Amino acid sequence: MERNGLIESLVGLLVLAAAGVFLFYSWSVSGQSLARDTYTLNAVFGRIDGINAGADVKIAGVKVGTVSGFSLKTDTYEAKLTLAISGATPVPEDTIAKIVSDGLLGGAHVALEPGASDVFLMDGESVAITQGSVDLLGLAVQAFTSGGGTKAARSPVNEPADELSLDP
């Protein structure tokens, strides 16, 4: 009887360990950080297609933070992103923030292109220069449908003349 109790206890510990692993995994992919050494920047974009909370913020392809939240500015109907940046990464005030696609089928991330300023953004400040996401599907549809079904422009050289005039 004592052996069954030991086996049940071991199985219980195994189940608790598995639950802990799943909790840690879900916390890590949620975009939350265990490290508190971050500061917050804001950025306002016209479009943020493909960006969700937890999306990466990268400089030169290296992850330096995550998107911690987003909201709609109802006065301008623009999207405001809140970025949690690593405290070890100073961001110059003339930095450009862009929404960049990870690929044709992938998501998107925020790419920061630092400027040359010696003044750095502080906690709670905003990135002034931004470029929103590009609607790739809309561009493709526009490229394939432009000119389709409409009369093509003809040059005057190729148009038939109504009258033939030889007078100078």
Side-chain angles (χ1 to χ4, degrees):
M1 201 66 157
E2 187 176 311
R3 181 142 172 94
N4 286 342
L6 180 63
I7 292 173
E8 289 175 359
S9 296
L10 289 176
V11 169
L13 286 174
L14 184 63
V15 168
L16 287 176
V21 168
F22 284 122
L23 261 170
F24 177 75
Y25 175 75
S26 65
W27 179 266
S28 65
V29 298
S30 72
Q32 300 294 324
S33 173
L34 293 174
R36 297 288 180 213
D37 186 24
T38 61
Y39 63 100
T40 303
L41 295 179
N42 299 307
V44 177
F45 295 91
R47 297 180 66 102
I48 60 167
D49 297 333
I51 294 291
N52 294 315
D56 292 343
V57 177
K58 298 179 180 182
I59 296 178
V62 177
K63 182 177 176 180
V64 296
T66 58
V67 175
S68 60
F70 54 90
S71 62
L72 178 68
K73 293 181 65 171
T74 56
D75 55 338
T76 61
Y77 295 104
E78 293 177 309
K80 176 183 173 186
L81 291 182
T82 305
L83 313 174
I85 306 296
S86 168
T89 309
V91 177
E93 69 177 352
D94 57 348
T95 295
I96 300 170
K98 296 180 178 182
I99 305 293
V100 179
S101 176
D102 289 334
L104 290 176
L105 300 176
H109 68 273
V110 178
L112 298 179
E113 295 181 3
S117 177
D118 293 333
V119 178
F120 298 104
L121 293 171
M122 304 300 290
D123 186 34
E125 291 186 330
S126 294
V127 177
I129 307 167
T130 61
Q131 178 182 338
S133 63
V134 177
D135 180 16
L136 294 177
L137 181 61
L139 286 175
V141 168
Q142 183 179 7
F144 288 121
T145 60
S146 65
T150 62
K151 189 175 182 180
R154 293 185 283 179
S155 69
V157 174
N158 294 335
E159 288 189 22
D162 291 337
E163 293 182 14
L164 185 59
S165 173
L166 299 175
D167 294 333

